Structure formats: C-alpha cells, structure tokens
C-alpha cells in the first residue's frame, strides 16, 4: 500500500507539487546552459512546460515499479519548442541562426538536464531495494492472516472458552499489534530523523520528506486504530464478565 506501490509515490509527489518544483529547477538549469551560448535567460524561462514534466515524472515512477526501461516521452514537442525559440531570438536580435549541429547539441544538453531531474538514479535504486522484499512481505501477510483466521475460528467454536474471555484475547491481539505498529514509527517520526535527509535539490528534499513522513504516519494511524479497537473489545469483555459474576452471584 505504501513503499511498494507506485500510486502511493505519485500521490505523495502531487502533495508537494513535485513536478512544479522540478519544472522550475529544470528551466533554471536550461537558462544557465543558454548563457553559455549567449542566449538571454528570459528567452528560456518557460521552455519546459509543467504538463511535460508531470507526465514524465509519473511515467518514471510507474516504470521503476513495473521494471521497464524509462525513456522521456513527448520529446519531439520540446525539440520543436527549442527550435522555434532559437529561431525567434535570432530574428529579433538580428544574429545569424545557429548551425544545425550546434542547435542539435543544445537540444541534447536540454534533454539531458530533463532526464537528470525527472529520473534520478537513486530513486530507481531505492525502489529496487524495496521490491526485493515485496514477495517476502506478501508471504508474511498470508501466513499471519491464515494464523489469525485459525485462532478466530478456534476461539469462536470452543464452548469451554467463555465469551468475555474470547473478547479479552482479541483485545490483547489488537493491543499488541497496535503497539508494534505505533511505537517505532512514532519514534522515527517525532525524532526528527526524517528532516535530516541529505539531498541538494530543495523540491526533491520536500518530496522525500513528505514521502517518508506519510509512510510512517500510515503505521501510526493504523496502530492507533488497533489500540482503540482493543480498548473497545476490552470494555465489551469487562461488561460480559460483570454480567457473568452477577448471574452466578
């Protein structure tokens, strides 16, 4: 549902406007490249549109989980935009239009910048490490689910076990599960360790901070819910126990 799911990663990126931040940083980098070719920065300030970045970011995040090679999509639109931008600037400035080779080199440099920002290699490495444990996690989930189902059937069918004791056992199960899900994630979340992620890009830092924080919060919320369920079951058990005591008395 979280780290092994590309939909979770995409949703987290949208929360911090990840694509918008990348677009800003990409265009700034392209402006720096343009300075080296004597192209004024204002001519290149919006050469990479947000829609293009958003599509490629989501495609990259999907591709790393589906284990398919990533390649920038709709690049023809970018190369056409760059060509028109350079041609318009040449006409406005009265300077000769750059030769085809230099223009092609500029386009390649721009697409390389986009590739570096949209598809950082450490994100792929991270996802690959997570996916290694997906089959193990699935197996553990199945085993625990089957075990819990058997325990439930056993408790509900054995007549020698009083009703209030059954509820009390389930209360212990949910309280133990809740504590395991809550304590360690809460420690990581409130200790400030997430804020100390080392990334040079501001938007990438914000994205990873949001991504890891929400991952931990999912455990905290579910753990808190389990504890609430355990309290409810314990109250039901206590109420049934008191009824039994009054009946016997």
């Amino acid at each position: 549902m979280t780290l092994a799911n590309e939909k979770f990663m995409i949703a987290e990126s949208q929360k911090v406007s990840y694509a918008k931040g990348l677009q800003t940083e990409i265009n700034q980098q392209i402006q720096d490249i343009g300075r080296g070719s004597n192209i004024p920065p204002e001519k290149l300030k919006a050469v990479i549109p947000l829609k293009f970045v958003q599509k490629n970011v989501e495609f990259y995040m999907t591709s790393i989980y589906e284990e398919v090679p990533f390649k920038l999509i709709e690049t023809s639109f970018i190369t056409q935009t760059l060509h028109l931008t350079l041609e318009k600037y040449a006409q406005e400035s009265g300077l000769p239009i750059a030769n085809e080779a230099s223009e092609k080199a500029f386009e390649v440099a721009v697409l390389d910048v986009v590739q570096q920002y949209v598809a950082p290699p450490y994100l792929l490495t991270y996802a690959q490490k997570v996916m290694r444990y997906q089959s193990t996690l699935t197996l553990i989930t199945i085993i625990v689910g089957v075990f819990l189902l058997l325990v439930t059937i056993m408790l509900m069918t054995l007549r020698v076990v009083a009703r209030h004791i059954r509820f009390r056992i389930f209360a212990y199960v949910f309280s133990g599960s809740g504590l395991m899900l809550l304590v360690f994630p809460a420690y990581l979340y409130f200790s400030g360790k997430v804020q100390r992620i080392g990334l040079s890009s501001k938007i990438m830092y914000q994205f990873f901070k949001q991504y890891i924080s929400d991952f931990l919060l999912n455990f905290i919320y579910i753990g808190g819910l389990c504890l609430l369920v355990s309290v409810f079951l314990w109250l039901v058990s206590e109420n049934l126990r008191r009824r039994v005591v009054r009946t016997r008395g």
Side-chain angles (χ1 to χ4, degrees), residues 27 43-44 46-49 52 74-89 103 106-107 110:
N27 282 321
K43 301 297 181 180
L44 300 170
V47 71
I48 305 296
F52 172 80
E74 300 184 3
T75 55
S76 59
F77 171 78
I78 300 301
T79 55
Q80 183 181 10
T81 301
L82 287 171
H83 174 74
L84 294 175
T85 300
L86 295 176
E87 190 176 58
K88 183 179 179 181
Y89 170 64
E103 184 177 320
F106 184 75
E107 292 174 359
V110 167

Side-chain angles (χ1 to χ4, degrees), residues 231-248:
V231 171
F232 172 76
L233 292 173
W234 186 86
L235 291 174
V236 172
S237 171
E238 187 64 15
N239 184 50
L240 291 174
R241 186 189 67 80
R242 290 178 180 178
R243 287 184 184 179
V244 171
V245 172
R246 285 196 298 268
T247 301
R248 290 178 178 176

Side-chain angles (χ1 to χ4, degrees), residues 19-119:
K20 177 65 177 176
L22 283 184
Q23 181 206 17
T24 301
E25 294 187 5
I26 289 171
N27 282 321
Q28 287 174 350
Q29 190 69 26
I30 292 172
Q31 286 176 305
D32 291 339
I33 296 174
R35 287 188 182 95
S37 302
N38 295 318
I39 303 173
E42 61 270 14
K43 301 297 181 180
L44 300 170
K45 63 180 179 180
V47 71
I48 305 296
L50 175 60
K51 187 176 181 181
F52 172 80
V53 178
Q54 183 69 53
K55 281 186 176 181
N56 278 279
V57 165
E58 293 184 4
F59 178 54
Y60 177 62
M61 291 180 177
T62 302
S63 67
I64 59 180
Y65 279 93
E66 294 181 354
E67 298 182 345
V68 297
F70 171 75
K71 187 177 181 181
L72 290 173
I73 56 177
E74 300 184 3
T75 55
S76 59
F77 171 78
I78 300 301
T79 55
Q80 183 181 10
T81 301
L82 287 171
H83 174 74
L84 294 175
T85 300
L86 295 176
E87 190 176 58
K88 183 179 179 181
Y89 170 64
Q91 292 173 353
E92 291 176 351
S93 63
L95 298 173
I97 299 176
N99 59 58
E100 186 176 345
S102 60
E103 184 177 320
K104 183 65 177 178
F106 184 75
E107 292 174 359
V108 171
V110 167
L111 291 177
D112 283 344
V113 169
V114 177
Q115 178 82 19
Q116 291 170 13
Y117 276 90
V118 169

